[in-house]
Amino acid sequence: MAKLVVINRTLTSMSHELGEKWITIGRHEGNTFQIPESSVSGRHCEVRLLGGELTVRDLQSTNGTFVDGKKISESVVKPGQTLRVGEVELSLEASAEEEAPATSFTSKMLLTRTAAGAPKNKSAESAKPTTVADAKPAGPKDNSGVAAKKFQVLFVDDSLAFLETFTELCADLSNQSWEIHTATSADRALAVLQQQPVDLVVLDIGIPMVDGIQLLGIISRRHPGIKLTVLTGKADENNRATCLAGGAELFIEKPVTLEDFKMVFNMLNDLVSWTHREGFSGMMQQVGIQEVIQMECLGRHSSILEIRNEQTLGQIYIEAGAVTHAAVGTLTGEKAFNQLLSLKGGGFQLKPFQAPPQRTVHSNWEVLVMEAARHNDEDTAFIAKQSVEDAVKPVAPNPPPPPEAEHATMGDDFVVVATYDGQWKPVDDSKK
């Protein structure tokens, strides 16, 4: 099995065995091959072994990617040639022993899992672990048994390794209800949108030539009906505010762990599908408003979470990871927060942060969410109790109808009352 071997004297013990999937090389955790050296970018390049040769793509690294001393944006490395990332040199070598490749980040994302509930007398072959890629469930069906509509989702990212990993995971988690398209640049993304109706676009900021922020504005103007999400490793507050103001409904930092990937998928899936069922828009059915607040606070973000339905419009202000103000109608503070989290349907939108008119919330966000959940449980229990009491309460018989009122009749003697029409008229008594 071919492998990449670091040939710098200070890092000679580092190597990575290669499979057939794209892998990333970089300084940060989350790369398939992590090289903790200062000249290497956080996400430096990506490589893929194919036919004994290594395809290499630079990921807009700071110090560049080189093959035999020549700077490249995309190239091929053959056995014996030198690949340099920053100041770290690597060589492509063929391993003398046929060993299983090391567990890559992609492999970690596509975790192996043993078939659940397999009878003990089953053969080892039928009970062997299967990967997510092997365990493809059947597509979703509606009540009539006919295959349901697939959502068209476009991922735009310059990393083929990330696209390969995330699209495979999303295809499985969606129960094959997503049809996924990919693009590594703005021009390819726009070409897909011209050829194919798309429900959701998920894009990175760091794409070449026309960056993700510019592409977000173009798609927002040309295709106003498409839902837009930014999924990026450059999750600073300036980019966040710019993207939310430019039309993105969600701004999410790229996931690293499998649990992060699943949470991101849940948010995206609810966002793309909310118009096809009753309830909250955005994340509020599968993930919940609580999870939106949790993500904002854990990331120490600043934003305004606007929550609305046909009767209600309210805001929750989050500043540097703390809930500072909530308002709905005439209510403010924790009472407003509890009311907003008790809503059963509607929509939400994350807006760029602006300072609230006053600070009305001082408790920790964890306490607020738990208290709101307790209030919601109490209200639900009270409603259920009232429903039971109403169901068993004896029904009182209808009271008899009131007797019909007797109509008064006029006797023979009556008095004639003259009416005044605004004019005086003389009366001739001789004619009486």
Side-chain angles (χ1 to χ4, degrees):
M1 180 67 67
K3 61 181 178 179
L4 272 176
V5 179
V6 176
I7 56 180
N8 290 54
R9 290 182 180 179
T10 57
L11 301 168
T12 51
S13 62
M14 299 189 67
S15 65
H16 185 83
E17 292 188 352
L18 301 166
E20 295 183 352
K21 291 183 177 294
W22 286 98
I23 67 169
T24 56
I25 300 173
R27 187 178 70 255
H28 291 165
E29 292 183 5
N31 288 285
T32 317
F33 188 11
Q34 184 185 6
I35 303 178
E37 206 277 337
S38 59
S39 66
V40 179
S41 294
R43 196 178 58 127
H44 197 105
C45 67
E46 58 186 359
V47 301
R48 181 186 184 187
L49 184 68
L50 188 63
E53 296 180 341
L54 193 69
T55 301
V56 183
R57 299 179 71 248
D58 182 72
L59 297 176
Q60 303 183 68
S61 62
T62 302
N63 295 317
T65 302
F66 301 81
V67 175
D68 280 350
K70 183 180 179 181
K71 189 174 183 178
I72 59 99
S73 58
E74 186 167 345
S75 186
V76 172
V77 178
K78 298 180 180 180
Q81 289 186 310
T82 300
L83 170 66
R84 178 158 63 89
V85 292
E87 299 300 325
V88 177
E89 293 187 335
L90 306 97
S91 176
L92 176 62
E93 297 180 1
S95 177
E97 299 180 3
E98 288 293 328
E99 299 178 352
T103 303
S104 68
F105 178 65
T106 300
S107 301
K108 291 175 184 176
M109 289 297 98
L110 307 177
L111 294 176
T112 57
R113 58 190 182 192
T114 304
K120 292 183 179 180
N121 60 351
K122 288 284 186 181
S123 67
E125 177 66 24
S126 63
K128 69 179 183 180
T130 58
T131 64
V132 171
D134 296 329
K136 298 292 186 184
K141 295 183 179 181
D142 59 22
N143 294 334
S144 64
V146 179
K149 170 189 177 296
K150 284 192 173 185
F151 297 110
Q152 305 297 320
V153 181
L154 171 62
F155 286 103
V156 187
D157 198 295
D158 65 331
S159 171
L160 290 171
F162 181 81
L163 289 175
E164 185 177 63
T165 300
F166 197 35
T167 56
E168 188 170 353
L169 188 65
C170 288
D172 181 79
L173 292 175
S174 71
N175 197 27
Q176 309 305 306
S177 65
W178 285 17
E179 184 170 340
I180 299 174
H181 312 268
T182 60
T184 56
S185 62
D187 61 329
R188 294 178 184 177
L190 293 173
V192 172
L193 293 174
Q194 288 288 341
Q195 300 165 4
Q196 171 70 49
V198 171
D199 300 297
L200 171 67
V201 175
V202 182
L203 54 88
D204 186 16
I205 290 177
I207 55 178
M209 302 298 289
V210 176
D211 65 27
I213 294 177
Q214 292 173 292
L215 180 59
L216 178 72
I218 293 171
I219 297 175
S220 169
R221 290 190 297 272
R222 294 187 184 179
H223 308 276
I226 295 178
K227 298 180 177 67
L228 299 168
T229 293
V230 174
L231 184 63
T232 181
K234 302 178 179 179
D236 59 62
E237 284 301 320
N238 288 335
N239 286 334
R240 179 183 178 79
T242 302
C243 291
L244 292 177
E249 296 195 46
L250 292 174
F251 183 92
I252 309 172
E253 188 169 0
K254 275 189 174 179
V256 175
T257 68
L258 179 61
E259 289 305 313
D260 292 341
F261 270 79
K262 288 180 178 179
M263 179 178 287
V264 170
F265 166 78
N266 285 336
M267 289 188 289
L268 296 177
N269 189 56
D270 206 73
L271 178 62
V272 73
S273 58
W274 77 267
T275 55
H276 296 267
R277 60 176 186 260
E278 294 181 354
F280 276 109
S281 63
M283 315 173 219
M284 295 186 189
Q285 281 196 345
Q286 294 178 1
V287 180
I289 306 178
Q290 293 88 341
E291 280 75 16
V292 181
I293 295 170
Q294 177 182 355
M295 175 169 287
E296 293 297 288
C297 293
L298 288 176
R300 298 190 61 80
H301 296 148
S302 297
S303 61
I304 300 174
L305 177 59
E306 184 178 272
I307 304 169
R308 63 191 180 278
N309 64 15
E310 293 181 357
Q311 296 83 27
T312 305
L313 174 63
Q315 298 83 27
I316 295 174
Y317 288 72
I318 302 172
E319 183 173 359
V323 177
T324 58
H325 178 60
V328 54
T330 59
L331 293 179
T332 60
E334 295 188 17
K335 290 184 178 180
F337 185 91
N338 292 336
Q339 180 168 327
L340 289 171
L341 264 65
S342 70
L343 295 179
K344 303 302 182 184
F348 83 96
Q349 183 178 2
L350 283 171
K351 292 188 171 183
F353 179 76
Q354 294 180 354
Q358 58 182 326
R359 178 159 189 168
T360 59
V361 178
H362 301 276
S363 301
N364 293 334
W365 68 266
E366 297 94 336
V367 175
L368 292 169
V369 170
M370 292 178 62
E371 189 68 13
R374 185 180 66 81
H375 280 287
N376 196 29
D377 290 343
E378 290 177 353
D379 291 343
T380 302
F382 177 76
I383 293 173
K385 180 180 179 182
Q386 288 296 110
S387 299
V388 171
E389 291 178 352
D390 291 343
V392 301
K393 185 184 297 183
V395 180
N398 292 329
E404 294 185 2
E406 296 182 1
H407 296 286
T409 57
M410 299 179 64
D412 294 334
D413 298 329
F414 58 92
V415 177
V416 177
V417 178
T419 60
Y420 173 58
D421 61 359
Q423 295 182 353
W424 290 105
K425 297 179 180 179
V427 178
D428 189 352
D429 293 334
S430 63
K431 296 182 177 179
K432 290 183 179 181

